[in-house]
Amino acid sequence: GAVVSQHPSWVICKSGTSVKIECRSLDFQATTMFWYRQFPKQSLMLMATSNEGSKATYEQGVEKDKFLINHASLTLSTLTVTSAHPEDSSFYICSAQRETGGNEKLFFGSGTQLSVL
Amino acid sequence: GQQLNQSPQSMFIQEGEDVSMNCTSSSIFNTWLWYKQDPGEGPVLLIALYKAGELTSNGRLTAQFGITRKDSFLNISASIPSDVGIYFCAGRTNAGKSTFGDGTTLTVKP
C-alpha cells in the first residue's frame, strides 16, 4: 500500500504555544488530504479537507483560525494548532487520497498524540 | 449528514473462530473501505470496494459491497491473536466525502 508519513508521533507542549504537524505522501501525489481528530475509543472526526494550492475546507464547528492548514505541495500538508490549550489534547490523524484508474483510496498517517500541559 | 451504523460495537472471540461485522447506512455510497487501527496508530487500509455486489478478499479477510450500495460487511476467517484491534468501515460519495463507522473492537483469546 501507499505510504503516508506523519510527524511528529508525540508532542507535549505548554499551554499557549503552537504546534505544527506534518503529513507527507511519500510515494504518490495527493491533491487532497484530510485531517481528523480522534478521542479514545471513538471514531475519526473529520476536521478539514486540505486542497493543494487552495484554502482548506473546514467542517462545521472547527475553528479555522485555531487549526491552520497549509497544503503547499502535492505531497505535504501541515496542521498547526495555534495557542494550544489542554482541551486541544487529542490524537490527530491525516490521510491522503490516491486516485488510480478512477478509483480512490485513502491512506492514513500514523497519527500524532498531542498533550497540552 | 450521512451516518453509518457499524455493528457489533465489540466482539470477544476464541482464536480460530470466524468473525463478521457490517456497516449500514440510509445513504448510498460509491466506495466502501475497511480499515484496521491498532492503539496509538493510524488506520491501515484492508480492503477497498468500488462496485455494488463486489466481493473482494485479502488473505483471511473478505468484504462485500452491498447490492443496494447502502451496506458492506467484513469477514475474518480463522482469527489469530494479531487480528486484535479496532475495525472501521468508511463509505465515500462521488463528492469525495467519507463517513466513518464507530468501529468494531475485536478481542481474540488465544
Side-chain angles (χ1 to χ4, degrees):
Chain A
V3 180
V4 175
S5 173
Q6 186 172 342
H7 178 81
S9 299
W10 286 86
V11 58
I12 301 173
C13 67
K14 292 182 178 179
S15 185
T17 61
S18 294
V19 174
K20 180 187 282 189
I21 304 170
E22 293 187 348
C23 183
R24 295 179 184 272
S25 55
L26 297 184
D27 53 356
F28 66 99
Q29 293 183 332
T31 56
T32 306
M33 292 186 176
F34 303 89
W35 288 95
Y36 307 82
R37 188 170 176 176
Q38 187 177 34
F39 293 101
K41 299 186 179 180
Q42 293 190 19
S43 188
L44 292 85
M45 182 183 75
L46 179 65
M47 298 174 65
T49 302
S50 172
N51 303 296
E52 187 269 334
S54 64
K55 291 182 179 180
T57 304
Y58 290 82
E59 295 299 301
Q60 192 173 8
V62 178
E63 299 176 58
K64 62 180 181 181
D65 293 330
K66 179 161 188 67
F67 298 99
L68 300 179
I69 291 173
N70 184 276
H71 194 156
S73 78
L74 287 172
T75 59
L76 174 64
S77 175
T78 61
L79 168 68
T80 301
V81 183
T82 62
S83 187
H85 287 94
E87 58 265 30
D88 298 324
S89 298
S90 187
F91 192 57
Y92 292 87
I93 311 175
C94 71
S95 71
Q97 181 172 293
R98 188 183 79 177
E99 297 187 25
T100 305
N103 292 332
E104 298 172 341
K105 289 181 180 178
L106 277 182
F107 294 93
F108 286 84
S110 55
T112 298
Q113 183 66 51
L114 171 63
S115 297
V116 185
L117 304 178
Chain B
Q2 296 157 321
Q3 288 190 337
L4 287 183
N5 296 312
Q6 184 170 350
S7 64
Q9 186 176 22
S10 61
M11 300 182 74
F12 296 82
I13 62 170
Q14 205 73 35
E15 181 178 1
E17 291 182 351
D18 297 341
V19 172
S20 184
M21 59 192 79
N22 69 85
C23 282
T24 61
S25 173
S26 58
S27 303
I28 290 175
F29 292 105
N30 292 298
T31 301
W32 283 95
L33 303 167
W34 283 92
Y35 294 88
K36 180 185 180 223
Q37 185 177 26
D38 292 326
E41 298 287 334
V44 174
L45 180 64
L46 299 174
I47 293 179
L49 303 161
Y50 300 103
K51 296 180 182 178
E54 180 181 354
L55 182 71
T56 298
S57 293
N58 178 9
R60 293 178 296 104
L61 278 61
T62 301
Q64 184 159 31
F65 194 144
I67 290 292
T68 64
R69 295 166 63 191
K70 295 181 179 180
D71 63 304
S72 177
F73 72 74
L74 173 71
N75 287 342
I76 305 173
S77 63
S79 59
I80 58 178
S82 61
D83 290 333
V84 164
I86 303 177
Y87 292 80
F88 290 100
C89 64
R92 285 174 62 78
T93 66
N94 262 346
K97 194 83 169 181
S98 292
T99 303
F100 287 84
D102 289 335
T104 296
T105 301
L106 178 63
T107 302
V108 180
K109 300 177 185 178

